[in-house]
Amino acid sequence: MANVRDDITLGQLALRTAGLVVILLTTLVCAVIAGGYVLAGQGSGKQFAAVAGLSAAAVALFAMLVDAFDYWLRPRRMTASRLRMIRSLIFVTMLVAVVLSILAGTPAFFILMTPALMIYLFGVMRRRPEPIRRPPGRPGRQPGGGTGQRLARSRASAAGGSRQRRGGKKRA
């Protein structure tokens, strides 16, 4: 378990693992129910919308599982673009699943999805995104400091010296 964050307690690790298990089990239940409809040959009319909605929900739940695993058990190793892509996938597939479940008239979809959605929304989604950690040794702005150009200008004007414009012309 070298990838697990060092700053979490054993109880927090147990709760996060339980949350991941709930999301995983919900994913499997959605996939099994959709597969059962397909194997039984009941994929026509409203049942087709229900199968498609459950399949979309299974895809969204798997993406939620990946995002939650990366946030809870790894110190957010996904890049910002990959995180946006996964969250967009979750949003679109959940929207499709909700619309298809309304068209199919299956309210059980909402009962099935509620625990996993609550765990994901309250456990992973935050108001402010975490700052992206830069790898050590990579240059960046120093905290509290401005650009060196501003500091050089203030020193030159304090000393009373002349400044040089960008084009190379000096002015007094």
Side-chain angles (χ1 to χ4, degrees):
M1 292 198 118
N3 291 345
V4 178
R5 292 181 176 179
D6 294 331
D7 60 341
I8 62 172
T9 64
L10 191 59
Q12 289 174 332
L13 181 63
L15 284 175
R16 291 175 181 184
T17 305
L20 290 173
V21 167
V22 167
I23 295 173
L24 177 66
L25 290 177
T26 309
T27 305
L28 293 175
V29 167
C30 285
V32 165
I33 291 173
Y37 275 122
V38 170
L39 291 177
Q42 298 177 354
S44 63
K46 287 190 174 186
Q47 279 97 15
F48 179 75
V51 169
L54 285 170
S55 301
V59 170
L61 283 166
F62 184 74
M64 285 181 204
L65 182 68
V66 169
D67 188 20
F69 180 79
D70 183 60
Y71 180 71
W72 282 338
L73 298 181
R74 296 172 38 167
R76 198 44 105 183
R77 292 188 184 170
M78 260 195 275
T79 61
S81 63
R82 185 169 290 171
L83 184 63
R84 278 192 306 270
M85 184 175 56
I86 285 191
R87 290 192 174 167
S88 297
L89 174 70
I90 292 169
F91 176 74
V92 169
T93 53
M94 283 305 296
L95 185 65
V96 167
V98 167
V99 168
L100 288 174
S101 71
I102 290 172
L103 289 176
T106 54
F109 167 79
F110 296 109
I111 296 169
L112 177 67
M113 294 289 295
T114 299
L117 280 174
M118 292 299 117
I119 289 170
Y120 179 73
L121 290 176
F122 291 124
V124 176
M125 299 296 291
R126 303 280 180 210
R127 283 192 167 178
R128 293 185 203 154
E130 289 184 4
I132 298 173
R133 296 184 185 128
R134 295 177 187 242
R138 189 171 170 194
R141 284 188 66 191
Q142 297 297 327
T147 60
Q149 201 174 30
R150 191 178 334 147
L151 186 61
R153 279 192 210 146
S154 63
R155 286 185 185 158
S157 61
S162 63
R163 295 186 298 177
Q164 190 170 0
R165 291 186 182 179
R166 282 191 175 171
K169 298 178 183 178
K170 281 193 169 186
R171 59 180 166 161

